[in-house]
Amino acid sequence: MGRVGFALVILFSQAAGAQSSLAVTHYRAGTSYYQRGQYADALREFEQAYRLSPKPQLLYNIAQTYERMGKLSKAIDFLRRYLRETKSADAAVKAKLETLLAQVKHTGVQIEGAVAGAQVWVDGKVVGTTPLSGPLSLAPGSHK
């Protein structure tokens, strides 16, 4: 399970107020879903907890959940936010980030030769504008 759950219980137990209490409820639900492998539900709960109580440690949980869902680019984005917001020098988190970056580099979809400023769509959603900053991380399977 990794780091999900450890530091956040301490952070939330020290928080006060109804909004923090509701954030704890969402966090606990997210942890439960995560442990059962229900990652879409876990993600929804962790994101709601973060909206109610923007503890940077929740960004790590969100990153872990995206990684489990196979959405490596999103996991990378949230790990970077976690490191920025915590101003962390955590070597394990940095190593995880480097591992994910290497995976995307070797397995992502790279778009080359496109006209600058062109929108890139995947499965009916805009995922970026050319030139893209790096490869797209897509879940296995067919995409449009």
Side-chain angles (χ1 to χ4, degrees):
M1 181 174 78
R3 294 173 180 258
V4 173
F6 176 69
L8 296 177
V9 173
I10 295 167
L11 288 171
F12 281 126
S13 67
Q14 296 170 351
Q19 196 167 7
S20 291
S21 178
L22 187 54
V24 171
T25 300
H26 284 289
Y27 161 74
R28 287 182 179 153
T31 299
S32 178
Y33 284 129
Y34 185 93
Q35 290 170 340
R36 293 191 312 247
Q38 295 173 283
Y39 301 120
D41 293 324
L43 181 62
R44 182 188 67 244
E45 296 295 337
F46 289 145
E47 287 176 335
Q48 186 61 27
Y50 184 77
R51 275 191 287 280
L52 292 167
S53 183
K55 308 270 187 236
Q57 290 78 2
L58 281 162
L59 297 172
Y60 185 89
N61 293 51
I62 293 168
Q64 287 284 96
T65 306
Y66 272 124
E67 181 184 5
R68 294 292 175 114
M69 295 171 77
K71 297 181 178 186
L72 301 185
S73 290
K74 296 290 270 181
I76 289 167
D77 291 344
F78 278 90
L79 280 178
R80 284 179 171 153
R81 278 182 64 189
Y82 167 78
L83 289 168
R84 235 183 0 260
E85 289 190 26
T86 59
K87 296 176 180 49
S88 174
D90 186 329
V93 175
K94 287 181 178 182
K96 176 180 250 332
L97 178 59
E98 291 304 317
T99 298
L100 292 178
L101 287 167
Q103 286 177 342
V104 169
K105 182 178 179 183
H106 294 295
T107 62
V109 175
Q110 183 73 37
I111 297 174
E112 296 179 1
V115 176
Q119 286 186 330
V120 178
W121 291 66
V122 176
D123 300 330
K125 295 180 182 178
V126 176
V127 295
T129 303
T130 59
L132 297 172
S133 61
L136 296 174
S137 173
L138 301 175
S142 297
H143 298 278
K144 292 183 180 187

